[in-house]
Structures are given as C-alpha cells and as structure tokens.
Amino acid sequence: MKVLAFDCSGASCSAAVVVDGEPKAQLFVPMERGHAETLLPMIETVLREAALTPAMLELRSGTVVPGSGTGLRIGLAAGRGLALARQLPAIVVPSFDAVPAEGAGD
C-alpha cells in the first residue's frame, strides 16, 4: 500500500511516504509558525523523492489532538482536500499514537 502521512499539529511540520510498510521519503522541519505555507510543498517533495504521483497513492493520513488548533485545522483541511480530489480514504491518528514509544523496536 502507498501511504502519504503528515503532521503539522505541533512545533514542527513533517511528511512521509511509506510503500508496503517501508519508508520511501520523509521530511521534518521544526517550526513555530508557517505550517500552512510549508505543508503542501513538503508533501510535493516527499512524493517526488518517492517517485510517486498523487494518483498513485492509496491512503492519506494525518494527526489530530493534542496539538495547536491552527496546525490541526491546516492538516485536516489539507488531508481532506487531497483525499476528496482523488476519492481516496483518509484517516486521522491521535498525535500520541503516531509517535513510537522510546525504545520501541529495540
């Protein structure tokens, strides 16, 4: 499965592409402001690095609470718009569930 995942709910903005469970491209930028201007170009970059187009994706995922209200709205609007444009499923994941526990997988 080809998945685009992103997060802009906190003091950073990130995007990643995972294909069949393997990360193909990822970006992470610490930032307090500017998520709205950064998220979509970041998504474009990870798709290009993964050699995928939006039409090739099978799922989009974003994070929700806890997080900044503005960042959450930006992420939800971007995810919903991208999913609707391609008629693909979109899921949201609680921010704490998206962060692996320290030492997980050791």
Side-chain angles (χ1 to χ4, degrees), residues 6-79:
F6 53 87
D7 175 47
C8 55
S9 63
S12 64
C13 194
S14 59
V17 173
V18 177
V19 177
D20 297 328
E22 182 181 331
K24 294 295 183 181
Q26 57 191 6
L27 285 174
F28 174 86
V29 178
M31 59 176 32
E32 294 293 325
R33 292 179 170 50
H35 297 75
E37 296 84 11
T38 303
L39 181 60
L40 291 178
M42 184 178 277
I43 288 171
E44 183 178 38
T45 298
V46 295
L47 286 172
R48 186 174 54 251
E49 287 179 10
L52 295 175
T53 66
M56 299 166 86
L57 294 171
E58 299 169 87
L59 179 68
R60 289 173 174 81
S61 174
T63 58
V64 294
V65 294
S68 95
T70 301
L72 292 171
R73 286 191 297 275
I74 291 164
L76 289 171

Side-chain angles (χ1 to χ4, degrees), residues 70-89:
T70 301
L72 292 171
R73 286 191 297 275
I74 291 164
L76 289 171
R80 179 137 169 85
L82 291 167
L84 286 172
R86 303 295 316 161
Q87 297 180 348
L88 291 174

